[in-house]
Amino acid sequence: MPNLATDAQVRAARLTSHGLRGGGGFASIGEAVRRLGAVQAQDFVASKWVVGARVPGATEGDVDSAIASREIVRSWPLRGTLHLVPATSLRPILAVTGARELARAAKRHRDLEIDDEVVRQARFIAERELTGGRSLSRDELFAQWQRAGIATAAQRGYHLIWTLALQAVVCAGPVEGRGQRFVLLDEWFPAAKPGDQQRDETLAALLTAYLDGHGPATVRDFAWWSGLTLGDARTAHAAAGDAVEMLDDERLVIAGADASAPGRSGGLALAPFDEYFLGYADRSAVCDARYADRVVPGSNGVFQPILVTNGRVEGVWKAKQARGGASVVLDPFESPIDAARYAGALRRWARFRGIRLEATSVLEG
């Protein structure tokens, strides 16, 4: 039998690495994103709270400011999905993941009649319209392509933006409402020097960043989170050398991490798609497998906001917003649940969003 840490030990260590342990947290939005390595950001508003929940006193405006200052950037570096990443990490990650993601999309692109010539034309127009520090909304970029005879319906437009992002041509730039406008990556965050980082170095750096903000975790967890092959994940482990170490027979931690410290968080009201649940192939240490489909109903890829106490996911929650206020409903996996345990976390969420918390109720199971 393998020698494995207990689930309680894993939860305690992860609370610390995630910056969610009572009295912990990170000093800034930029530090939180660096520590996590990447934050899934398909739901842009949700991704802001993923980061903000780890930075005491943060507001949504702080996340917008970190984007505006080009400290963090939003693009498609991992799993073909939007993420927030440190701006300095985007190009090296895309150099490793971009070609693989495009290869995986080859059949879909054939079905959409997107070939190299269409991509070349789309890139030419995007560069023409964005050069000089300009930005375009998605609809404005689509309109430019339509005028040039490049159809954008049936997800063709989305896949063209996605392709140009994977090729490090465009990225999401200025925040506008609940979304962002698109810009040229080379203008938004010019490369400091020609890329000379070796592939294995990038893999190692990505693994250490992942473990710094997610550990303890397995090589398989890392492969899932990054979208890399298991072979690449093993290469990353080997290349990381003594920067990482084994917690037990299966799980890795960043070297020197205090994985034995008790981790207590009180009640946490975390975002949809929060990395504390999402960032692993195996989530059983933090959530009873019987309730996993309550977090991701029907395994449809849409993650619900979660309620966490001392590292264990014990329910989901929902906010209904209107006229600058919000009413929250807690939906525990098992009744009863102590709503007062989450009062502080929900007040912090409301302050972060800049809204009033008007009422909290509990669904009876």
Side-chain angles (χ1 to χ4, degrees):
M1 294 290 291
N3 175 33
L4 298 178
T6 67
D7 286 351
Q9 290 171 324
V10 171
R11 290 193 294 270
R14 286 184 183 172
L15 285 172
T16 300
S17 62
H18 275 270
L20 295 172
R21 184 178 167 192
F26 304 125
S28 68
I29 297 299
E31 182 187 349
V33 175
R34 285 192 298 274
R35 283 290 297 273
L36 290 168
V39 173
Q40 182 164 318
Q42 182 176 352
D43 183 332
F44 185 37
V45 174
S47 72
K48 293 182 181 184
W49 179 233
V50 174
V51 182
R54 292 156 168 82
V55 182
T59 67
E60 277 193 334
D62 294 328
V63 183
D64 293 347
S65 294
I67 291 170
S69 68
R70 292 71 183 300
E71 187 176 10
I72 62 175
V73 66
R74 185 165 168 251
S75 190
W76 284 264
L78 301 177
R79 303 195 305 277
T81 301
L82 279 159
H83 283 75
L84 292 170
V85 296
T88 54
S89 299
L90 180 57
R91 287 184 182 83
I93 295 174
L94 287 174
V96 169
T97 62
R100 172 175 165 78
E101 291 300 328
L102 288 171
R104 292 172 63 182
K107 182 182 184 304
R108 178 63 174 147
H109 285 185
R110 287 196 297 272
D111 293 342
L112 291 172
E113 298 182 352
I114 295 175
D115 57 20
D116 290 345
E117 179 58 21
V118 171
V119 172
R120 187 195 66 78
Q121 293 175 11
R123 176 172 180 166
F124 173 81
I125 293 165
E127 290 178 330
R128 182 191 69 196
E129 297 301 319
L130 295 173
T131 293
R134 289 175 290 177
S135 66
L136 293 175
S137 69
R138 183 181 68 172
D139 288 346
E140 288 168 347
L141 184 52
F142 283 5
Q144 292 296 331
W145 284 337
Q146 288 284 160
R147 291 189 188 99
I150 301 174
T152 59
Q155 291 196 319
R156 283 185 102 237
Y158 172 86
H159 275 267
L160 287 170
I161 291 176
W162 181 77
T163 297
L164 295 182
L166 288 173
Q167 293 177 342
V169 176
V170 301
C171 67
V175 175
E176 183 176 66
R178 294 172 65 89
Q180 290 174 271
R181 297 172 68 83
F182 289 98
V183 294
L184 294 178
L185 176 58
D186 282 346
E187 291 189 349
W188 184 253
F189 190 79
K193 60 180 179 180
D196 57 1
Q197 190 174 46
Q198 297 300 307
R199 190 173 192 276
D200 287 5
E201 291 178 293
T202 298
L203 291 172
L206 190 57
L207 174 62
T208 55
Y210 171 70
L211 292 174
D212 207 14
H214 292 75
T218 66
V219 169
R220 191 173 296 275
D221 287 328
F222 172 65
W224 182 89
W225 176 82
S226 62
L228 296 167
T229 65
L230 194 54
D232 277 342
R234 290 176 177 139
T235 297
H237 183 199
D242 58 9
V244 303
E245 58 192 26
M246 302 299 298
L247 172 70
D248 56 25
D249 287 348
E250 293 183 0
R251 297 183 182 95
L252 299 164
V253 292
I254 201 74
D258 186 358
S260 63
R264 299 184 65 82
S265 66
L268 298 169
L270 300 182
F273 302 95
D274 194 280
E275 292 287 323
Y276 185 74
F277 181 89
L278 177 146
Y280 307 87
D282 180 357
R283 298 154 182 153
S284 60
V286 302
C287 183
D288 190 313
R290 293 174 298 167
Y291 303 122
D293 63 351
R294 297 275 294 276
V295 181
V296 195
S299 299
N300 62 3
V302 179
F303 289 66
Q304 303 302 304
I306 54 176
L307 300 170
V308 178
T309 292
N310 297 329
R312 186 187 296 276
V313 181
E314 65 171 14
V316 296
W317 62 287
K318 181 177 294 185
K320 183 177 181 180
Q321 296 181 218
R323 299 186 183 91
S327 297
V328 172
V329 177
L330 310 182
D331 185 3
F333 298 152
E334 298 176 355
S335 294
I337 190 173
D338 183 3
R341 181 185 300 158
Y342 294 99
L346 291 170
R347 285 194 298 269
R348 289 192 295 274
W349 166 78
R351 286 197 299 270
F352 176 83
R353 293 295 312 277
I355 58 178
R356 299 184 310 277
L357 182 61
E358 297 183 335
T360 302
S361 59
V362 180
L363 290 179
E364 296 299 328

